[in-house]
Amino acid sequence: MKKAIYTLIFGIAASYAMADDAVPTVATNADAIALVQTHANFLWTLVAAALVFFMQAGFAMVETGFTRAKNAINIMMKNLMDFSMGTFFFWAIGFGLMFGASSTGWFGTTGFFLSDWNPVDGDPWILAFWMFQVVFAATAATIVSGAMAERTKFIGYLAYSAVLSALIYPIFGSWAWGSLLNGSGWLEGMGFIDFAGSTVVHSIGGWVALAGAIVVGPRLGKFDKDGKARAIPGHNMPLAALGVFILWLGWFGFNPGSTTTADTSIAMIFVNTNLAAAMGCIAAMITAWIMFGKPDIGMSLNGALAGLVGITAGCANVTPGSSMIIGIVAGILVVFSVVFFDKIKVDDPVGAVSVHGVCGAWGTLAAGIFDMGGFSASVVGVQLVGILAAFVWAFGCGFIMFKIISMTIGLRVTPEEEMEGLDYGEHGGTAYPDFQKASHM
């Protein structure tokens, strides 16, 4: 009985295999392989987008840990709203400006409200690509939060977040990345190298953060009567450290995910990303140890982030050895940069300007210096043009925007609200009710 069943099954399978429409051919195999690759690209891009989204949690924890307990709710709210506001305004305006068709190379003019896609016969890649890009836009927006922490009005911050997501970030992004979809930017036309956004994401966020920190002014008590900076310790360094580890993990979506392709090229990008972060952390620790006499946790954490920001531009076009050099320089640079901004009385509670603005510029320059294709003065020149353009655009627009916000709806809370903490003044609560109660007894 069993033999008869096996014979029948084998006969049916053999007959099907001999049918003309079931015989594999080179063409049908190629089509199948291409389909599998397409599906893999979608999957990898969306998984990477999820990793980058998780970086929002990392930024929130870093900023909260580096600042005082009385402002924890406010900081969590700002990071929450950066992504929520950013999602809406990037969908409505920013994505079209960044990746829509462009005849000038300055900004896109199509694709607003995701109008380039329709549910009947639209290309689903646009949806996957939009999802990957919106988490980048949110990253640029949330960088600013740390530099303006503990003294900024919530409504003024919401206005800033909308403008950056809708206009400032996407317009510069169109200059460097427009051709990734339907656009064509003037910077990328020159050969500008910024694979995953040392300048497009990090320096843009960092330079807007610098403008915001200048306009809003330093926190009360940050500088003494002689102008010397006072330390205002963060309330939870373990939370900040957890945030950095989350960001480190998220960067494995940020950099390798920028291929938007599931292929072997992501292996080197993973290695470069990790090496730069590790060397940045080590270099910052040693530099701070020499300068301050102790291996400072805050500087070490920012050193890891500095290395990650630094390698983001060149992660796909430098060798692992070069990525280590890039990370080391970034780790040293971030320590000196934090000290410099303190000396010129720019109060940046988390070092956002130094990590993202300064080290983003370094990483963009390094992508040209250490290019595996060989050193070229013209390539380095283009990199410098992009770095300068980013500073002028982001800082200039940011300064004007924050001045307008300050003169209209207001940018800074009252001294009384700042002393009491933004959690009470802006949100009517506290993140640590038992602790807060005990501190007032």
Side-chain angles (χ1 to χ4, degrees):
M1 183 67 177
K2 287 184 179 179
K3 184 176 180 181
I5 293 173
Y6 290 150
T7 302
L8 176 62
I9 293 173
F10 180 81
I12 294 171
S15 299
Y16 179 77
M18 289 187 293
D20 290 340
D21 60 354
V23 176
T25 66
V26 173
T28 57
N29 279 341
D31 290 343
I33 291 169
L35 184 61
V36 170
Q37 181 65 59
T38 297
H39 288 174
N41 294 345
F42 270 77
L43 180 61
W44 168 235
T45 299
L46 292 172
V47 167
L51 285 170
V52 178
F53 168 73
F54 194 40
M55 291 173 71
Q56 292 294 126
F59 280 118
M61 290 181 178
V62 169
E63 185 182 345
T64 303
F66 269 64
T67 53
R68 289 168 289 186
K70 63 184 180 180
N71 299 305
I73 288 176
N74 177 258
I75 288 165
M76 289 295 176
M77 279 293 292
K78 288 192 298 179
N79 281 271
L80 174 67
M81 297 313 299
D82 274 330
F83 189 79
S84 300
M85 296 280 288
T87 292
F88 173 76
F89 284 98
F90 193 72
W91 165 78
I93 303 171
F95 187 71
L97 288 175
M98 192 164 178
F99 296 108
S102 172
S103 59
T104 63
W106 289 98
F107 54 85
T109 58
T110 63
F112 303 107
F113 305 97
L114 273 179
S115 58
D116 284 347
W117 178 83
N118 69 75
V120 177
D121 58 358
D123 181 2
W125 177 248
I126 293 177
L127 300 180
F129 184 75
W130 180 85
M131 194 65 231
F132 187 71
Q133 292 301 328
V134 75
V135 293
F136 272 55
T139 297
T142 205
I143 288 167
V144 182
S145 176
M148 301 177 67
E150 303 198 289
R151 73 271 202 204
T152 303
K153 288 183 70 171
F154 187 62
I155 190 170
Y157 189 83
L158 291 179
Y160 139 76
S161 185
V163 174
L164 186 135
S165 301
L167 299 172
I168 298 176
Y169 167 74
I171 287 178
F172 184 85
S174 74
W175 301 350
W177 288 351
S179 68
L180 292 178
L181 195 63
N182 297 319
S184 57
W186 65 271
L187 261 179
E188 62 181 343
M190 296 173 64
F192 181 61
I193 303 170
D194 190 2
F195 185 76
S198 284
T199 283
V200 175
V201 178
H202 294 283
S203 279
I204 291 297
W207 299 141
V208 174
L210 176 60
I214 291 172
V215 175
V216 78
R219 290 168 291 175
L220 296 175
K222 175 60 180 176
F223 299 101
D224 63 22
K225 62 181 181 179
D226 298 320
K228 185 177 180 181
R230 292 190 178 112
I232 301 179
H235 84 283
N236 195 330
M237 296 312 293
L239 187 67
L242 178 59
V244 169
F245 280 117
I246 289 173
L247 288 169
W248 198 325
L249 171 66
W251 239 285
F252 293 135
F254 204 98
N255 287 358
S258 293
T259 60
T260 63
T261 305
D263 62 17
T264 58
S265 67
I266 64 175
M268 187 185 75
I269 300 173
F270 262 88
V271 170
N272 285 346
T273 300
N274 193 62
L275 284 173
M279 298 314 296
C281 184
I282 293 169
M285 179 194 69
I286 294 172
T287 304
W289 206 335
I290 293 170
M291 291 179 67
F292 311 127
K294 297 288 183 181
D296 182 77
I297 179 63
M299 289 295 189
S300 301
L301 292 172
N302 270 341
L305 298 180
L308 288 163
V309 170
I311 195 57
T312 295
C315 58
N317 74 294
V318 304
T319 66
S322 294
S323 74
M324 296 174 74
I325 297 171
I326 292 169
I328 290 169
V329 174
I332 296 170
L333 188 60
V334 74
V335 177
F336 281 96
S337 180
V338 167
V339 172
F340 169 76
F341 282 113
D342 269 351
K343 285 185 177 180
I344 64 171
K345 301 182 181 62
V346 174
D347 182 15
D348 179 359
V350 305
V353 177
S354 299
V355 169
H356 300 279
V358 174
C359 291
W362 155 244
T364 304
L365 180 63
I369 295 173
F370 296 102
D371 186 2
M372 285 190 296
F375 178 82
S376 167
S378 63
V379 171
V380 172
V382 171
Q383 297 301 98
L384 289 170
V385 170
I387 292 166
L388 180 61
F391 179 81
V392 171
W393 171 255
F395 181 81
C397 290
F399 192 85
I400 293 169
M401 172 187 63
F402 284 120
K403 279 292 188 182
I404 293 172
I405 292 172
S406 180
M407 292 185 294
T408 53
I409 59 177
L411 188 63
R412 183 159 186 154
V413 298
T414 66
E416 293 76 20
E417 288 176 314
E418 184 176 345
M419 292 295 292
E420 185 178 38
L422 274 63
D423 287 1
Y424 277 115
E426 294 279 5
H427 309 287
T430 175
Y432 309 100
D434 294 337
F435 170 80
Q436 196 73 28
K437 181 180 178 181
S439 69
H440 283 82
M441 291 178 65

